Each structure stands twice: as structure tokens, then as C-alpha cells.
Amino acid sequence: MSTPHTALAMRGIIKSFAGNTVLADVNLSANSGEVLALLGENGAGKSTLMKILAGVHQPDAGEIFIDGKPVKIANPVDSLHHGVAMIYQELSLAPHLTVAENIFLGREPASSLGIINQKAMNEKAAALLQEYGFKLAPKAKVGQLSTAKRQLVEITRAIVEAKRVIVMDEPTSSLTSHEVEDLFRLIRDLKARGLAVIYISHRLEELDEIADQVTILRDGRAVYSGKWGAISTDEVIQHMAGRELKEIFPPRHAKIGEVKLRVSNLNRPPKFTDINFEARAGEVVGIAGLAGAGRTELVEAIYGTQPATSGEINLRGNTIQHSTPHQSVVNGLSLLTEDRKRTGLCLNLSLATNLTLANVKALLTSGMLQTKAETVAATNYIDKLHIRPPSPTKTVGRMSGGNQQKVLLGRWLFAKTQVFLLDEPTRGVDVAARSEIYREVNELAEAGAAIVMVSSDLPELLGMADRILVMRRGRMVAELKAKETTQEEILKYAAVEE
Ligand SMILES: Nc1ncnc2c1ncn2[C@@H]1O[C@H](COP(=O)(O)OP(=O)(O)OP(=O)(O)O)[C@@H](O)[C@H]1O
Ligand SMILES: [Mg+2]
């Protein structure tokens, strides 16, 4: 193996949006054949810095060098031309096209007449997907795939494009452990091929396996760069947050009370079959499982987005015949969805509007919306959840990914429901903010709410849940006490024998 050399250097990068400085003189360099972990709290500027490299944004000042040569990257095509490809945090696929079409978009195999050869394209895609170990059908429409599967398509597309540098902006945020292992195998291949990999993640524990170097951003400045492992995880977090973080999982002092939600013989084959469980006041019930196990479909059925075909849902003592999302909220049940862009936020509306959307009636006086009350409510949750920037009027689509997630959570906190279904509640949320969210969840439980938490992050389930239910292929296969189980045991139940 050749000794690593600097494949990419970014020098003195400055960027502001509408007068707000987001990047203030950032330097970063990445070696060929290595993984650079790019870390920082939500809103620190990671995605913006990488979008400058990908030609999506133009810097106000600064230079970019590839293999030592200065380059101008005016648009995404330029960046591909210089061998730079990016996996975007907010997936950028075309939903009405197939998996194969998305992988080869703009580079489809064509005949001499310029006609796209569908058959060749599908075969090529199938071969790649098989090589990478991703279980995806080349002809499936991307819009119909789960978030995790779409993430795999996005990864495949970028790997095909990358020649010198590949940026992965939270590639594992909705993947489960098996898929993460597949991705890490691919990353090792990319390193062996001499690519520089820039890897953004809030799952610090996964970095030990792949990171060689680390750069930490805080408030738009690079505050630390060095070899991965040279400083402890606690020090990494300190650099990210600018303060010490006492405990990630705060203690909970909730009394477990009456049953708030009971699900009996719930079915929607082939997604899930014969599901039975209950959640009590003061309790956090975790649901584990691999992607495709039916967890999201189950909570969507309880909420009413995609109703079950048979079975019974009992909410606070009342049987719910036909649940619809609207009726659910009225009945005191809310769902935090895993795909905030598609099913959660109104991206072109303000932070305050998004935050208060599910409980607008609390803001009405004689039928009139009290904008002042809206601002007060929003400000309260901005403080509680450390939402950045702390501006009620900010357009949600312009906020960083993790902060969007906090707005969505704030919406349900403000709606003050009694039963919460949380689907991947901390997806893309930084460590410090995650701990704030856990504190909120604990407060809800302490106030007598029942919480059902679907998560692919096993340390999170072990740290937060009282009981963990494991789903496999649409069935509930185990119920474990969080205090007495381990990641290994959960995975043993979750794993599908081939
Ligand atoms: N198009 C835009 N217009 C205005 N402000 C923006 C835009 N894009 C990003 N910002 C702001 O830039 C700051 C940095 O955002 P960025 O998305 O780079 O953060 P990040 O480090 O990737 O965070 P996360 O971990 O949440 O993904 C945020 O305050 C965000 O609101
Ligand atoms: Mg980001």
C-alpha cells in the first residue's frame, strides 16, 4: 500500500447565509486511503462545508485543492469531474424513477443512437447491488422504498461516481447493524482503492471501526484535527459541545401505572402479523428489529397512517375502530415519524408554525390565531431542546437536519398527548441534543405518558427502555427486560436466518 497523501485540502473556507456566518475560516484535509471522521453538533456546519466541496454552495472565500492542485468547483458536475461524489444527508433521489435509473442517472448505458439500454442498465445495477450485498430490486420504484433502502440506493450511486473523494453525510442514520457492516466492508474497499472517505456521523461508537483521522467543527470553526483515537470519546464530545456532558442517559423516576395502549392480534400481512403488546403510564417500551422487520408499519397502523387489516387497538380504555391520524391526535396519541421530510415537516413554513401545528387550538382566542402565543410556545421548546438557530421565524427547510428533527419532536411535546409513538426519535441528532431529548422523554414518562420507541440504535434502547420488544419479519419474537439483556441477545432474536 502506498503511503497516504493529501487527496483533498480545503483552506480558509468562509460561508454565510443572509448575513449569518455558518463557516468561519475552516481548514480540512483528507488523505487518500483513509477515513476522515467529520464531527460536530447539529448546525455546526458539516453539511454546508461538504456541499461546498460538492458544488451545491459557493464559498464566500477559500480554496480547494485536489491532489495538491487548486480546483474551482462551480457546480455538482464540476465536483464529479474532479472525482468527488457525495451521499447527501437528506436523500436526493428521484422518487418516480427505479433503483437502477437512480444509480445511473445521467450516466445511463446508451446505444449508438443515444437510446438508453434499459436491460443493460438493470443488469449492471443488479450486479453492483449483489457485489455490495444490498438486497434491492433494480426495477423497484425508489418512491416506494423504505428510508433505509433509499439510503442504500444513494450509497450505491455515490460509490459508482466517486474517483478521488467520497463524502458520506450520515450514511448510517437509518441503517441497522447488518447493513452498517455491509457499508463498512465497502468503505474498506474504497480505502484500498486509494479514495479519501469523509464520514459524518452522530453515532460515535461506530467510528472506532473505520475512522483514521478526525476533524471536529464547532459553530463553523474547526476546533480539533488529529488521529482518531488520540483523544477519548469524552474529549471528542467536549470539543463538539464546548462543554462537559455529564450523562447521555439521564435517570428516570417514573411510576409505572395503568395500561394506556393495548394492541391485540393486530395484522397487516405481509408487513406484520399477530402483534400483541401493551404500554403503561410511565413506561418506555422499546421496539428493536432489522430494517424491514415491520416496526415502522406497525406504529403507522396504530396511528392510522396505514391502518391494520384486522385486530384491536385500545387507547386509554377505549377501543379504536378505525384509527386515522387526525382522530389519533384527538384521542391523545402521536407519532414522530422517521422520515421527517416526507411525512413530517412543512419545509417552507416557519419553525414556530411547524412546532405548534398539532395543537393550534391552544393558540386560538375566539377563533383567532394569537401569533404572540405561537412565538412564546416556540421559544419555550427552542430553549428546552436547544434548537439552533433559536429563531421562531426561521424557515424549517433551511435548518440543519438534526435541528429539523428537534422541531418535529417539539411539535408532539407541545401537543401534550398521552401516548407517544417515536420512530427513530434521535435519527441524525448530535450526542448533546440526544441527551436533551432523552430528558424530555423521561419527563413525559414521569408525567404519566406511555412511550413506544422504535430504534435501530441499540445502545439507545438499552439506555432508555424498560422493556424491549424484538420484531423479526413482521412478528414479535421476544420481549426482554432492558436491564437484563445485551445488544448481542437482541440481535440474536432480530437476525433472519438466510
Ligand atoms: N440554505 C441555507 N440557507 C440558510 N441557512 C442555512 C442553509 N443551509 C444551512 N444553513 C444554516 O447553516 C448552519 C449549518 O448547517 P449544516 O446543515 O451545515 O449543519 P450540520 O453540521 O450539517 O448539522 P446536522 O448535524 O444537524 O446535520 C445552520 O445554522 C443552518 O441553519
Ligand atoms: Mg448535516
Side-chain angles (χ1 to χ4, degrees), residues 99-207:
V99 168
E101 285 164 342
N102 268 285
I103 293 173
F104 294 111
L105 199 62
R107 288 167 290 101
E108 298 91 343
S111 71
S112 53
L113 294 172
I115 295 166
I116 294 173
N117 184 339
Q118 287 285 347
K119 188 156 170 282
M121 186 171 71
N122 285 329
E123 283 171 4
K124 236 170 125 181
L128 276 174
L129 292 167
Q130 173 147 27
E131 184 191 333
Y132 297 170
F134 296 163
K135 292 186 186 58
L136 283 170
K139 292 184 194 166
K141 283 260 188 302
V142 160
Q144 276 151 25
L145 299 178
S146 66
T147 315
K149 291 228 156 113
R150 276 183 280 147
Q151 209 157 31
L152 296 180
V153 178
E154 181 98 14
I155 290 168
T156 309
R157 179 194 54 73
I159 290 180
V160 171
E161 288 173 350
K163 300 289 176 278
R164 289 303 293 131
V165 181
I166 182 163
V167 178
M168 304 188 173
D169 197 348
E170 300 193 36
T172 57
S173 59
S174 54
L175 301 186
T176 49
S177 47
H178 283 259
E179 294 157 327
V180 173
E181 279 312 314
D182 285 340
L183 176 66
F184 286 2
R185 213 169 16 81
L186 287 175
I187 290 180
R188 289 186 198 104
D189 281 357
L190 294 168
K191 282 169 69 166
R193 276 164 42 193
L195 267 80
V197 181
I198 302 180
Y199 189 93
I200 301 177
S201 177
H202 291 293
R203 295 186 178 179
L204 298 185
E205 67 280 357
E206 71 187 16
L207 292 170

Side-chain angles (χ1 to χ4, degrees), residues 204-495:
L204 298 185
E205 67 280 357
E206 71 187 16
L207 292 170
D208 278 334
E209 248 191 88
I210 47 159
D212 299 294
Q213 305 281 334
V214 57
T215 289
I216 303 173
L217 295 187
R218 184 168 79 234
D219 292 336
R221 290 172 196 279
V223 292
Y224 178 86
S225 285
K227 259 201 171 0
W228 179 258
I231 57 172
S232 68
T233 308
D234 283 351
E235 288 167 299
V236 168
I237 295 172
Q238 250 182 68
H239 279 299
M240 284 170 56
R243 62 192 149 95
E244 214 177 326
L245 196 71
K246 284 186 280 320
E247 52 208 345
I248 308 237
F249 299 108
R252 180 166 68 239
H253 309 282
K255 241 188 38 238
I256 309 239
E258 78 280 12
V259 174
K260 291 263 179 181
L261 170 72
R262 175 176 288 129
V263 171
S264 318
N265 308 105
L266 208 64
N267 285 292
R268 185 156 77 83
K271 296 300 185 186
F272 56 85
T273 356
D274 201 21
I275 303 290
N276 295 281
F277 77 94
E278 58 186 38
R280 293 171 171 273
E283 198 181 26
V284 178
V285 178
I287 303 188
L290 303 183
R295 297 168 302 165
T296 291
E297 288 83 357
L298 173 62
V299 289
E300 284 184 349
I302 299 172
Y303 186 60
T305 329
Q306 288 274 2
T309 46
S310 67
E312 195 181 288
I313 298 165
N314 189 291
L315 196 58
R316 298 156 71 205
N318 301 312
T319 302
I320 307 297
Q321 293 298 355
H322 303 286
S323 55
T324 64
H326 176 74
Q327 201 52 45
S328 289
V329 177
V330 173
N331 291 338
L333 171 84
S334 58
L335 168 67
L336 178 74
T337 51
E338 64 170 345
D339 184 348
R340 55 186 172 249
K341 223 175 176 178
R342 202 161 52 146
T343 47
L345 294 168
C346 310
L347 292 176
N348 50 356
L349 297 182
S350 74
L351 189 167
T353 308
N354 268 285
L355 214 145
T356 53
L357 203 68
N359 193 10
V360 180
K361 67 176 187 307
L363 305 171
L364 301 178
T365 309
S366 345
M368 295 284 287
L369 180 70
Q370 302 298 310
T371 42
K372 196 150 166 247
E374 188 185 75
T375 309
V376 169
T379 309
N380 179 22
Y381 288 99
I382 287 171
D383 288 348
K384 268 194 154 161
L385 299 172
H386 278 271
I387 298 175
R388 292 293 170 270
S391 155
T393 54
K394 180 87 183 175
T395 305
V396 162
R398 297 233 164 108
M399 298 176 65
S400 81
N403 280 296
Q404 292 184 5
Q405 183 72 0
K406 292 191 236 169
V407 173
L408 204 49
L409 180 70
R411 174 188 297 173
W412 297 122
L413 296 177
F414 181 63
K416 299 191 174 46
T417 59
Q418 301 253 325
V419 179
F420 289 83
L421 308 171
L422 308 177
D423 194 359
E424 305 286 359
T426 61
R427 180 177 165 216
V429 172
D430 70 56
V431 210
R434 240 188 283 171
S435 162
E436 311 286 344
I437 290 179
Y438 298 149
R439 198 180 313 281
E440 283 301 316
V441 169
N442 284 349
E443 274 182 29
L444 291 171
E446 284 163 1
I451 289 132
V452 177
M453 187 174 196
V454 171
S455 177
S456 300
D457 189 331
L458 294 180
E460 165 169 296
L461 286 184
L462 290 168
M464 283 301 290
D466 296 296
R467 289 181 290 133
I468 299 175
L469 310 173
V470 187
M471 283 182 78
R472 179 174 71 214
R473 288 201 168 145
R475 290 182 184 274
M476 217 54 115
V477 293
E479 176 179 334
L480 306 163
K481 286 212 172 70
K483 281 209 173 57
E484 294 166 9
T485 186
T486 58
Q487 297 202 35
E488 289 70 32
E489 190 182 21
I490 298 172
L491 281 174
K492 193 185 84 206
Y493 284 110

